[in-house]
Amino acid sequence: MSLQTPTSIPDQKRIGMVSLGCPKALVDSERILTRLRADGYAMSPDYQGADVVLVNTCGFLDSAKEESLAAIGEAIAENGRVIVTGCMGNEAELIRTKFPAVLAVTGAHQYEAVVEAVHEAAPPTQGPYIDLIPQPDIKLTPRHYSYLKISEGCNHACAFCIIPSLRGKLASRRIDAVLREAEKLVAAGTRELLVISQDTSAYGVDVRHEERLWKGNAVRTHMTDLARELGGLRTPEGVPPWVRLHYVYPYPHVDAVIPLMAQGLITPYLDIPFQHAAPGVLKAMKRPANEAKVLERIKAWRAICPDLTIRSSFVVGFPGETEADFQYLLDWLDEAQLDRVGAFRFEPVEGAAANRLPDPVPEAVKEERYARIMAKTEAISAAKLAGKVGRLLPVIIDEVGEPDEDGDVGATARSQADAPEIDGAVYLRDVPATLQPGQIVHARIEDADAHDLFGVIEPA
């Protein structure tokens, strides 16, 4: 009788990941890593332990490209075996010229090409069937919140933007697939869903808002149907998760979502990229110049849902922007009273139509206007947050601190008016030692500054 030699299982190949850019790119990174783990790869938290490093790049602005190139250079220096993917993938020649050692370059959301490049650079030593226990998808965000991507690409032709050339035309995901993913995320511990795309309001336009069956009912591939169904989800404890809508263009059907917010089914928060308000600048940007109607609609939305938070971003110093245009924007902001505002100095991007426009705004003028708009929006924010002092607000816990010298524990949370990474926070004092990230509790607001709130948890 002969004894068989035991089969030894080789060590797993390990993948490192550097993910840059917007939440949509972060979702791409999560999907790539999930695919690779299913193929038998392990993840490495550092350069030294990785057999190959993936750099998911951003190419929206020149400053973002510089950050991406710096990240590629660091990965080359620290590891040497690097695959580049993401929005800068369409500039493969530039990347290869600057970094000849790069193993492969692929474009945005080209999952198959990235996986194939990894297989070639570091062939898997373990098959996907060694671990018989199904593994959950990889998340690069904390367990309690998740980005839910509903589409890729964009049909707009904004003069300052190259997203359509980077990510293509609008391509909507099947609504039943989106809802199934959302349901799984909530069942696995997600307490906040952040709906993202290039244009959430246009969801389903490319498929003529086709219907799919979900839980025995027909639902359209449409933002309002999606919002209604997401509002019906419940956590294992029977609590509705927060559902936050990002990148919402103010199309007429957005009006239908506001009552869902008033009913508590959807988080009362809209992220709307207005970009400007002056009609002449909007026309030059190739964006709809309907700022007067938007002001009317904002008033109507707030009448239906008084707690509605509106966040937006604006570009200052766009070619041809006059002092009168900029003052129009400041006056519009006084009227609109937006809750959260980000501003950007116009920056030429290779391939953007705006680069060919006449009358560029001098850099010194851009800086001066940027300082003025930030001062304006900071004052509006400070007044709005001061109005919340004394209120009892639901907050979601992001982080619980260590006890200080007196044994007191603090926590960082967010209200429904605060999206992770981009808005403010609610800082809590004297929290229970048993408090955990992801819990939704009620906080009495005691103080405020221009961006953040401060308070204490009150028992339910």
Side-chain angles (χ1 to χ4, degrees):
M1 177 177 176
S2 61
L3 294 175
Q4 288 186 324
T5 303
T7 301
S8 61
I9 300 175
D11 291 337
Q12 290 175 288
K13 293 290 180 68
R14 304 182 72 83
I15 304 298
M17 170 68 85
V18 178
S19 189
L20 305 172
C22 63
K24 294 176 285 294
L26 188 70
V27 172
D28 288 343
S29 296
E30 289 177 340
R31 290 181 177 173
I32 291 166
L33 292 178
T34 297
R35 288 282 306 276
L36 289 171
R37 185 170 65 179
D39 287 346
Y41 292 90
M43 304 301 119
S44 173
D46 51 43
Y47 290 119
Q48 287 68 35
D51 293 285
V52 65
V53 174
L54 301 178
V55 180
N56 192 359
T57 57
C58 179
F60 183 56
L61 298 172
D62 287 347
S63 54
K65 292 181 182 180
E66 290 172 7
E67 181 184 8
S68 294
L69 291 172
I72 295 168
E74 179 179 312
I76 290 284
E78 295 291 334
N79 182 279
R81 296 178 57 76
V82 175
I83 293 171
V84 177
T85 188
C87 288
M88 271 199 77
N90 68 330
E91 299 191 44
E93 186 175 341
L94 167 66
I95 293 169
R96 291 189 181 281
T97 299
K98 192 170 181 64
F99 304 107
V102 163
L103 300 175
V105 181
T106 70
H109 60 90
Q110 294 181 356
Y111 308 131
E112 297 293 340
V114 177
V115 171
E116 185 178 334
V118 172
H119 282 187
E120 186 172 333
T125 52
Q126 297 183 355
Y129 305 113
I130 286 179
D131 188 346
L132 298 180
I133 301 174
Q135 297 293 313
D137 292 347
I138 289 179
K139 286 178 87 278
L140 299 178
T141 57
R143 181 171 180 260
H144 61 279
Y145 68 81
S146 302
Y147 292 105
L148 182 68
K149 187 192 281 190
I150 63 173
S151 66
E152 269 295 352
C154 181
N155 288 342
H156 294 287
C158 301
F160 55 84
C161 182
I162 58 171
I163 289 295
S165 65
L166 296 178
R167 291 184 170 261
K169 293 290 188 180
L170 176 70
S172 301
R173 295 178 61 198
R174 287 176 51 150
I175 191 165
D176 52 346
V178 172
L179 292 171
R180 188 173 297 110
E181 179 183 351
E183 186 178 60
K184 285 176 58 182
L185 287 168
V186 172
T190 291
R191 296 297 173 261
E192 180 179 15
L193 290 166
L194 301 112
V195 178
I196 58 169
S197 66
Q198 304 297 339
D199 181 357
T200 295
S201 303
Y203 176 58
V205 166
D206 55 313
V207 294
R208 300 178 182 272
H209 301 302
E210 67 180 5
E211 290 188 346
R212 296 280 180 178
L213 281 179
W214 174 251
K215 305 291 186 182
N217 298 312
V219 291
R220 294 177 304 156
T221 309
H222 193 285
M223 186 184 80
T224 55
D225 287 42
L226 175 67
R228 185 187 66 246
E229 296 300 327
L230 291 175
L233 293 175
R234 295 294 180 269
T235 69
E237 297 78 28
V239 178
W242 289 7
V243 178
R244 196 181 297 277
L245 301 176
H246 287 272
Y247 310 107
V248 176
Y249 283 73
Y251 302 158
H253 62 258
V254 174
D255 295 354
V257 175
I258 308 302
L260 299 178
M261 297 179 176
Q263 296 165 30
L265 299 178
I266 299 293
T267 303
Y269 180 101
L270 281 177
D271 173 13
I272 302 178
F274 289 121
Q275 307 298 4
H276 215 281
V281 178
L282 288 170
K283 184 176 180 181
M285 288 178 167
K286 296 186 177 178
R287 295 178 70 83
N290 59 353
E291 79 294 339
K293 288 184 179 179
V294 167
L295 286 175
E296 293 173 8
R297 292 173 70 204
I298 288 175
K299 290 178 182 177
W301 293 344
R302 286 178 170 151
I304 296 169
C305 185
D307 283 334
L308 174 65
T309 294
I310 302 176
R311 124 165 299 280
S312 191
S313 56
F314 296 86
V315 178
V316 299
F318 190 79
E321 181 191 61
T322 64
E323 176 60 27
D325 290 329
F326 183 70
Q327 187 59 51
Y328 188 105
L329 171 58
L330 294 183
D331 294 342
W332 188 91
L333 287 167
D334 271 330
E335 182 76 16
Q337 289 287 298
L338 303 183
D339 304 83
R340 301 293 194 185
V341 171
F344 304 89
R345 308 161 190 84
F346 172 75
E347 186 179 316
V349 180
E350 186 177 347
N355 302 345
R356 300 188 294 272
L357 293 175
D359 304 320
V361 176
E363 291 301 319
V365 176
K366 287 183 193 177
E367 289 297 328
E368 187 263 347
R369 290 177 182 171
Y370 176 79
R372 285 162 65 193
I373 194 173
M374 293 311 292
K376 168 73 69 179
T377 57
E378 186 174 275
I380 292 171
S381 175
K384 281 183 163 283
L385 293 182
K388 295 183 179 182
V389 174
R391 290 187 60 186
L392 189 65
L393 299 178
V395 299
I396 189 167
I397 305 299
D398 279 337
E399 185 178 0
V400 179
E402 295 295 327
D404 62 16
E405 60 273 11
D406 298 321
D408 296 328
V409 177
T412 302
R414 287 177 292 107
S415 73
Q416 291 189 312
D418 306 308
E421 306 294 335
I422 56 175
D423 293 325
V426 182
Y427 295 101
L428 303 173
R429 63 174 178 84
D430 302 335
V431 303
T434 55
L435 192 68
Q436 295 294 319
Q439 282 185 249
I440 296 176
V441 297
H442 282 81
R444 180 70 64 182
I445 304 305
E446 301 174 316
D447 199 2
D449 60 22
H451 304 288
D452 304 310
L453 298 172
F454 304 83
V456 63
I457 293 175
E458 285 204 0

